[in-house]
Amino acid sequence: MAAFVPRFVDVWVGLAFLVTLIPMAAAGAAKHWKNCHAQFMKNETTQRLYGFHGIVESGSIAPGTPLLSVQGCEALCGKGSNYHDWQTSAATITTWVLPMVGLLLQAPFESNAKKRTFLAIIRWLGSPIPSLSYILWNVRVTAKSSLIVDMSCPFNQYPGPESDFADIRDSFCILSFMNQYTVDPNCDTCPGEKLLRVCLFSNEMKMTDGGPSLAERRRELANTLREGRRRGVVPVYVTLMWFIFALGISLADAFGPRNIGSNSLAHDLAMGLLISWVAVLILSGIVDRNPSAPEDTRRRLNDLVRATRDALRDPYNQETIVVQGGGWREHYPWLDQLEHDDQFGHFFHEFAGQGRVRMHYGIANPILSNIEFSYVGQQGRDWLKHERDARWALVYGSVDPKLFHFDLRQLWQILSAIIIVDGIIAGAFIISYLTPTVGLGCRSGGYMIFIVLTGALLTTEFIVWWATDRTSPIRAAFNRILTMGELVSMTWLIYIILAQVLGSYQSCACKGSTWAGKGGYIDLGTSEVYKSPEVKRYWGAGTALSLAIMGSAFAFIIAEWCEQSHLFTQKYNDAMRGLRRTRQWKRLTIHFRHVPDRIIELGKWAIRHHERRSMIWTVHSRPQQKRLVRNQPSRTSSRRPLNTAMDDGSSSFVLSPVTSPDLSYAPARSISLSRSQHQTPDEAYRPSFPFPTPMPGSQR
């Protein structure tokens, strides 16, 4: 980014220099419309010949106002554009363009990656709805991680930095960073998901490279990631305040008693609202924050996964997995796949945060959803109370692990992105459409075209995702096509901005608003005739729509940043202070937070689906928490920790009643595995009775 930003600034500086040539090119242009108006009002014959005699939108023009037809305007004034003078263009640049450029420069760019930075700009500006939906999805994932960490201990307890709580906090912090990277497309679902679970949550692994334990490696990695996590939140807020201040000035100017009804001020306000979604997208980047060195972070994450994979090749660690998980060695084929597949050595491939990569949903949500539904959500507050039970549930998971799948709950993020982008643009569309001449013209039509382009890109992207595989060459080809489409969409957005700044829309055809059959008339008089209650009401409705959506988005993003900060704060004491404030804030707003939960529960009751997959934040712990695993081997146990000598010289060990992660067995009773004194140690242990009946609906 360091080399790219100066060039990006130079482009806009060159644009500003180009705009300075307008006074020379359009000298006397301000008198152009006045001369046409004087010539049109000269006599009744001219008014009858060039005047408009059709139907005028009620309330948009004062009765009795002489109106010029588009054909008459072109005959009297010419077909070209009457460009703005320098004073008008400079006011638009300082009010809207420069604050937006400053805000765009605060985007989460990558360092020393010119091509990827350019593609990211095309992606964000050309296809904002998919980009924002991916960002909101990542925000939801980090919010879920911070919620699970918060709920792992009692409300009034803040354990120390050497506690199991601190280790869990490190694990979910690392998982949030992993979520920003793509995974080898050839990676098998089951072994990849199992490997990540062991890597993130296991404390029983014996590392084979002679280095620190797995928990110590996670702690060191989490501290490094927090230290290198990209800062810059304060500059983003300062630039955002500048943009909001400029927006306030424009609103005060447009709705002032002397300017209400001014055509130029209304369209400047509409253009400012048109690009206001950029502020939402940039601000959301402070929550879905990228690391300062993405490649170094990727290498560190791969090192942790590779070390865990090497440890899982050790027979002792494999036996620990089998004994603790239940069942037989053949029930764990993913251990063999880890030993033979090479892609697990380079698990993470490319940085894909902030919507940079299409169709990237990350690896965190499948893991979070699984542990939330199978254990954490059932236990509620203080779910880490029985630490050994909790780690068993976090490591082994469900019977059908899926590392790559689309969660239907992401439709909420897609819908939210559509409402934010299209809703803000809709406010600009209302202002331009209902500003006389009322109708679909160059400005409102341009806004509509941009909405159609972004909607088409969104639809195409998700159809391609649904119809193709991750390794399909068709998907790769469509990625290139979508990039070209995003470039076209971004170019069109830049054209809209430049046309408004330079005054290219100041032509008879654009003033007539004839795209949809309405309009066709032009009032070349002063803006005083626009001072009608209808015009003020229309402008107020469009502005209120955009501001309400933008303000709600700002409030949501800032609240999420505050509530999630304890997960990424480097100093542990500061993190606990932030967690305390977060809990106090959530406690004060708990009744408002329960409103959507009650709506969801009502919907599930209506469709007769009573299982709730998501964890709900609470203050109090549940009175009784179900113990899932008993008699687990301790961390300092021997190779066969549960072996028991029998009177006849045989040996046996007991597996506690558990739910097998791969076969979904019901925890009906204990399983006693024994070896006779006449059997060799190499012979397999045999169960003394058949396994319990599989649970109803389980997949064999």
Side-chain angles (χ1 to χ4, degrees):
M1 175 187 171
F4 178 82
V5 170
R7 296 186 180 182
F8 187 75
V9 175
D10 290 343
V11 172
W12 286 98
V13 171
L15 176 62
F17 176 77
L18 178 63
V19 174
T20 58
L21 301 179
I22 294 178
M24 295 182 292
K31 300 179 181 180
H32 183 65
W33 295 117
K34 293 182 179 180
N35 294 337
C36 293
H37 182 254
Q39 187 176 357
F40 174 65
M41 299 294 295
K42 184 168 54 176
N43 53 63
E44 294 183 359
T45 303
T46 306
Q47 296 179 19
R48 186 171 58 254
L49 181 62
Y50 297 111
F52 178 78
H53 307 290
I55 300 176
V56 179
E57 191 75 18
S58 176
S60 61
I61 298 293
T65 302
L67 300 176
L68 184 64
S69 66
V70 175
Q71 295 79 8
C73 176
E74 292 178 348
L76 294 176
C77 307
K79 297 183 178 181
S81 298
N82 182 22
Y83 292 100
H84 291 316
D85 57 7
W86 168 242
Q87 184 178 2
T88 304
S89 297
T92 305
I93 292 173
T94 55
T95 303
W96 292 112
V97 177
L98 292 182
M100 187 54 61
V101 172
L103 192 61
L104 185 61
L105 291 177
Q106 298 298 328
F109 297 115
E110 294 182 63
S111 301
N112 302 320
K114 299 178 182 178
K115 180 180 178 181
R116 288 178 56 83
T117 300
F118 180 69
L119 292 177
I121 294 177
I122 294 177
R123 173 73 170 160
W124 293 330
L125 298 183
S127 189
I129 298 178
S131 301
L132 187 57
S133 65
Y134 293 136
I135 294 176
L136 293 177
W137 180 249
N138 291 337
V139 170
R140 180 190 179 278
V141 168
T142 54
K144 185 67 64 178
S145 299
S146 62
L147 172 64
I148 293 176
V149 172
D150 178 9
M151 294 284 288
S152 64
C153 63
F155 180 81
N156 292 320
Q157 289 187 13
Y158 302 91
E162 302 297 328
S163 61
D164 291 320
F165 169 84
D167 182 66
I168 287 294
R169 174 174 173 263
D170 293 337
S171 297
F172 283 98
C173 174
I174 296 173
L175 179 61
S176 299
F177 278 91
M178 290 179 173
N179 194 62
Q180 293 185 316
Y181 288 85
T182 61
V183 177
D184 189 338
N186 298 315
C187 175
D188 195 358
T189 297
C190 178
E193 196 256 6
K194 295 292 186 183
L195 174 62
L196 289 180
R197 285 177 175 273
V198 175
C199 176
L200 291 169
F201 304 117
S202 176
N203 275 357
E204 304 289 342
M205 293 291 298
K206 180 180 179 182
M207 308 307 291
T208 57
D209 57 3
S213 65
L214 187 56
E216 293 173 347
R217 295 177 192 233
R218 286 197 299 261
R219 184 184 304 113
E220 180 182 357
L221 176 60
N223 291 334
T224 303
L225 295 180
R226 292 188 180 105
E227 182 180 1
R229 195 168 189 256
R230 185 178 175 86
R231 268 66 174 181
V233 174
V234 174
V236 173
Y237 277 127
V238 172
T239 308
L240 180 64
M241 292 300 104
W242 182 19
F243 173 79
I244 294 177
F245 180 72
L247 178 62
I249 292 177
S250 180
L251 290 174
D253 199 14
F255 287 92
R258 295 184 179 182
N259 296 325
I260 183 67
S262 174
N263 195 303
S264 60
L265 288 177
H267 292 308
D268 284 348
L269 175 62
M271 186 201 70
L273 296 177
L274 168 70
I275 57 179
S276 295
W277 54 264
V278 178
V280 178
L281 191 147
I282 300 302
L283 185 63
S284 61
I286 70 172
V287 182
D288 183 27
R289 204 65 179 165
N290 60 313
S292 57
E295 284 301 312
D296 181 68
T297 300
R298 183 182 66 88
R299 179 184 60 80
R300 293 178 183 274
L301 294 175
N302 282 331
D303 289 343
L304 180 65
V305 174
R306 188 183 303 110
T308 306
R309 179 214 180 188
D310 293 340
L312 281 173
R313 291 177 172 179
D314 181 69
Y316 172 80
N317 290 325
Q318 292 185 0
E319 181 183 0
T320 301
I321 292 292
V322 173
V323 170
Q324 292 184 356
W328 302 105
R329 179 62 176 81
E330 54 267 23
H331 297 155
Y332 298 83
W334 58 274
L335 292 173
D336 298 326
Q337 293 176 275
L338 290 178
E339 189 166 350
H340 299 295
D341 292 343
D342 294 332
Q343 66 265 22
F344 298 106
H346 302 280
F347 196 83
F348 298 103
H349 274 208
E350 180 184 9
F351 179 71
Q354 297 90 35
R356 283 176 168 83
V357 178
R358 298 180 191 87
M359 310 166 201
H360 172 73
Y361 310 111
I363 52 90
N365 182 68
I367 298 177
L368 291 173
S369 300
N370 188 287
I371 63 178
E372 186 180 28
F373 179 68
S374 62
Y375 182 80
V376 174
Q378 299 175 9
Q379 302 296 314
R381 168 72 67 181
D382 197 18
W383 60 265
L384 195 59
K385 179 180 181 180
H386 307 297
E387 185 262 346
R388 200 167 296 166
D389 298 9
R391 289 196 181 275
W392 180 90
L394 296 181
V395 170
Y396 290 98
S398 69
V399 299
D400 189 19
K402 291 182 178 180
L403 198 57
F404 310 105
H405 77 282
F406 181 79
D407 194 328
L408 291 178
R409 288 176 292 182
Q410 189 177 1
L411 294 177
W412 288 109
Q413 278 67 41
I414 298 174
L415 180 61
S416 300
I418 293 175
I419 293 175
I420 292 174
V421 176
D422 288 349
I424 292 176
I425 298 177
F429 177 86
I430 291 173
I431 294 176
S432 290
Y433 184 90
L434 296 175
T435 297
T437 301
V438 176
L440 193 65
C442 297
R443 294 181 177 87
S444 56
Y447 303 162
M448 185 184 66
I449 290 175
F450 184 72
I451 292 177
V452 171
L453 288 174
T454 56
L457 291 171
L458 171 69
T459 305
T460 304
E461 183 167 334
F462 283 101
I463 289 178
V464 171
W465 172 86
W466 175 78
T468 61
D469 186 70
R470 292 182 295 118
T471 59
S472 172
I474 299 178
R475 177 177 292 192
F478 266 97
N479 279 335
R480 292 188 288 269
I481 295 175
L482 288 172
T483 300
M484 296 303 300
E486 291 166 357
L487 181 60
V488 171
S489 179
M490 185 189 71
T491 303
W492 181 257
L493 178 63
I494 295 176
Y495 164 75
I496 292 175
I497 298 174
L498 292 180
Q500 178 62 29
V501 171
L502 301 179
S504 299
Y505 289 145
Q506 296 289 4
S507 64
C508 295
C510 289
K511 280 182 169 292
S513 301
T514 58
W515 283 27
K518 291 186 177 182
Y521 58 90
I522 301 172
D523 178 24
L524 295 181
T526 63
S527 64
E528 298 295 329
V529 296
Y530 298 156
K531 291 184 178 180
S532 61
E534 288 77 9
V535 172
K536 186 175 182 179
R537 188 180 304 117
Y538 293 151
W539 290 3
T543 303
L545 175 63
S546 297
L547 293 183
I549 295 176
M550 183 170 55
S552 300
F554 286 166
F556 169 77
I557 295 170
I558 294 174
E560 287 294 334
W561 178 71
C562 294
E563 293 176 4
Q564 300 177 26
S565 61
H566 68 87
L567 189 64
F568 303 103
T569 302
Q570 183 178 3
K571 295 182 179 180
Y572 191 82
N573 292 334
D574 294 342
M576 294 301 98
R577 187 182 304 112
L579 179 59
R580 182 181 296 106
R581 294 173 180 173
T582 297
R583 289 176 174 176
Q584 293 172 353
W585 163 254
K586 288 186 175 181
R587 188 173 188 175
L588 291 175
T589 59
I590 189 171
H591 298 292
F592 299 99
R593 294 175 181 275
H594 282 180
V595 172
D597 294 329
R598 298 293 179 263
I599 296 175
I600 294 175
E601 291 175 358
L602 181 62
K604 287 183 175 290
W605 175 84
I607 63 177
R608 302 182 184 278
H609 182 74
H610 302 293
E611 291 182 328
R612 182 69 186 275
R613 293 186 294 174
S614 300
M615 170 180 279
I616 301 176
W617 190 89
T618 59
V619 175
H620 303 288
S621 304
R622 295 183 180 179
Q624 291 183 353
Q625 293 181 333
K626 182 180 179 182
R627 294 295 301 273
L628 295 183
V629 183
R630 297 180 180 89
N631 301 328
Q632 287 293 328
S634 63
R635 299 178 186 177
T636 59
S637 60
S638 60
R639 187 174 180 82
R640 291 193 179 274
L642 299 182
N643 267 7
T644 303
M646 309 297 289
D647 294 336
D648 59 354
S650 62
S651 61
S652 68
F653 59 94
V654 178
L655 296 181
S656 58
V658 297
T659 300
S660 172
D662 295 304
L663 298 180
S664 191
Y665 289 119
R669 51 190 173 180
S670 297
I671 303 171
S672 177
L673 304 182
S674 62
R675 178 173 61 86
S676 171
Q677 61 177 344
H678 303 292
Q679 291 178 299
T680 62
D682 296 334
E683 293 178 324
Y685 282 79
R686 300 299 179 187
S688 58
F689 53 84
F691 279 89
T693 305
M695 295 175 63
S698 63
Q699 298 180 3
R700 298 300 303 270

